[in-house]
Amino acid sequence: MQTAEKREAIPPISAATNPLSAWLFFRRNLSRTAPVALVIVLSVVLIGTVVTIIRSIDLTVLTVYGYNRYFLVAVPRNGNRVDPRAEMTIRAEPMAKQIYRISVCFTNIHTIFGKFPFVLFGLTQEEMPKMLRLTRMKLVEGRLPREGEAACALSVGIARNRNLKVGDVVLAPNIEDSFAPVPVKLVGLLDGENWFAVTSKEFVQKNYFPPLEEIVVAAPTPDQQPELDRRLSKALDKRQVRLFTFGQLVRELRSSLRNLYLIMNIVIAIVVLVIAIMMGMLSNIFFMQRLPEFALLAAMGYTRGMLLWRVVRETALLVALGWTVGVLLSMGILWGLYWWVFEPRGMLLQPMDWQAYQYTVPVPIAVLAFAAMSVGPRLLAMDPVLVIERKV
Amino acid sequence: MLVTDEVTLAYREADRVVLAVDRVSVEVKQGEFVGIMGPSGSGKSSLLYLMSGLKLPTSGEVRYRNRVIHLLSERERMQLRRREFGFVFQQPYLLPYLTALENVLVAVPGDREAYGRALELFEQLGLSHLANRYPHKLSGGERQRVCVARAMVHQPQIIFADEPTASLDHINGHAVIRLLADYRERGAVVVVTHDPEMLADADRVYSLRDGRLVQKVHV
């Protein structure tokens, strides 16, 4: 019994043999280490969530207009139809495997940064299944619109975004941002990797003025589409047609978001700098509080390199834990946002956007660097005897 | 084992040069308990710092096993202090977030064999029941005994103790001196104190005044 009591009183060898371990210091000084870790957690959460939400603009645009990967659209410049000379050039292009003359009308979808126009492709009955195959969509509920019918089929994502179900009116004379001369009902739901919408070409041509006719051109495979886009962009006279290609969409998106990303990067840099300076100052204060400890260790024969390495290890553990918890917390918040806010409204967000989390990496690196830079010189200048004579 | 040869430590104070230690020669032999005495400001702590390599002499030299300490690199001096010297300071400072046993093992991190030695030391010093306690739950005497254990755990050749009894009551002071004196069986002990009573058991006592050696007593 006595032996058992004695054994209980003695700390386990694993903890005792490495009393200067960073983990032990972290655990035993939670009142000091936890607030610092919390600041890192909060800054990582701030950066991680904001960047992910901002990057959802890219995601939204590239998903909503992602169908453009599979074909280009030639829109007339000077009339209701594409100039015959331009159409001849398109038809003469050997890579143009599928060519459809279409008419379009528009609805609006909701995004976190406002309403976005979305195209309803007016197609003939024969063209509709072909276009769905081309864009890798399939009908999952209801049916496709009939010839001349005031009806449409939409992606599940668009229906959720607009809070619509089969039988509801999508376009109508009294809906300002989704106008149609007559009410257009939703008759079918589509599903696939993109968002897509089809309606009857005859209906569009009879009810919209002017009845524009555009041309859709698809390459034999999606991989060949960029090459076809390039060839037609070169071959066609821009005064006759305007081409909408996926590459151009991406370029325009990048260009329009450049300033937004620049502002975001500046804000992140400021946040990182402020946090790093703050942490550096805190490290300094904590170092001053622990000066007797470092002086004692130096007197006992720990080199300054060993002591600095100890500070670096402790800070590294702190920032690594703070960063990890921050990333996990960001993911939790973003998944919550996704399930409770974005998904029910058909808005796009990627909670596991690793590129967004890359923006948080400078936080731990800068904090570690500032802590080492602020404590290092003090450690090098420390005279253990002076400290010992005063305090130890 | 350890010899100081005409060692001087000078520092500048305002416009004048102060000699904290003035051409002092002392010797510490294996198995000896050496005392350094003197009033406050006599330079006894400075001499201890010179002997232990914590300070480097302005002139003269300190030789440990025929190696001149100030000619060693900083790394070698650190290694010497870490492996061959043990220290007990006036204030019994322990790392506040470590238990008594862990504080002792700070002197030998990662050495699993030292764990057993530390437990033995705790047994010898009557600290076994305190191994798991944090410093704030120890009395001044208990803390200083833990410091003594910390100075002994790596089995140093010499233990340097700077006023180890200054913050202790009479009984605890004597207990600590007894522990240190016993260590001469394994190495040597140098104790700085202003209290002659604490050096009653010393093999040799050096007396300092104004940085100078004024008396050498063989007991």
Side-chain angles (χ1 to χ4, degrees), chain B residues 47-59:
Chain B
L47 178 62
L48 188 92
Y49 298 147
L50 287 171
M51 292 169 83
S52 59
L54 272 167
K55 288 259 184 210
L56 297 182
T58 313
S59 66

Side-chain angles (χ1 to χ4, degrees), chain A residues 6 9-11 16-17 19 25 28-29 293 296-302 304 310 383 385 389 391-392, chain B residues 49 54-55 74 78 81-82 87 89 91 93 95 97-98 101-102 105-107 109-110 115 123 132 134 150:
Chain A
K6 195 173 171 184
I10 297 167
T17 50
F25 177 80
R28 301 266 179 93
N29 292 279
E293 173 183 336
L296 177 79
L297 294 175
M300 284 167 65
Y302 282 81
R304 284 159 212 275
R310 185 169 176 234
D383 181 351
V385 172
E389 280 180 337
K391 174 86 185 171
V392 176
Chain B
Y49 298 147
L54 272 167
K55 288 259 184 210
E74 190 180 344
M78 290 287 186
R81 292 215 299 270
R82 204 164 62 245
F87 293 91
F89 297 104
Q91 295 296 324
Y93 184 81
L95 275 59
Y97 53 89
L98 297 181
L101 183 63
E102 287 163 351
L105 292 167
V106 159
Y115 181 80
E123 194 81 41
N132 227 0
Y134 286 94
R150 184 176 62 197

Side-chain angles (χ1 to χ4, degrees), chain A residues 46-110:
Chain A
L46 175 75
I47 294 170
T49 51
V50 169
V51 173
T52 304
I53 290 169
I54 288 177
R55 279 177 54 83
S56 77
I57 298 173
D58 282 47
L59 180 69
T60 303
V61 172
L62 296 178
T63 306
V64 167
Y65 300 129
Y67 58 75
N68 213 178
R69 283 187 187 91
Y70 306 106
F71 55 79
L72 69 82
V73 182
V75 179
R77 287 268 195 208
N78 307 312
N80 295 351
R81 293 179 156 209
V82 172
D83 188 287
R85 287 166 297 175
E87 188 170 347
M88 273 178 61
T89 307
I90 291 169
R91 292 192 182 277
E93 169 54 53
M95 283 186 79
K97 194 188 174 204
Q98 296 182 60
I99 301 171
Y100 305 113
R101 280 183 171 179
I102 61 156
S103 288
V104 300
C105 57
F106 295 89
T107 183
N108 267 289
I109 53 168
H110 306 294

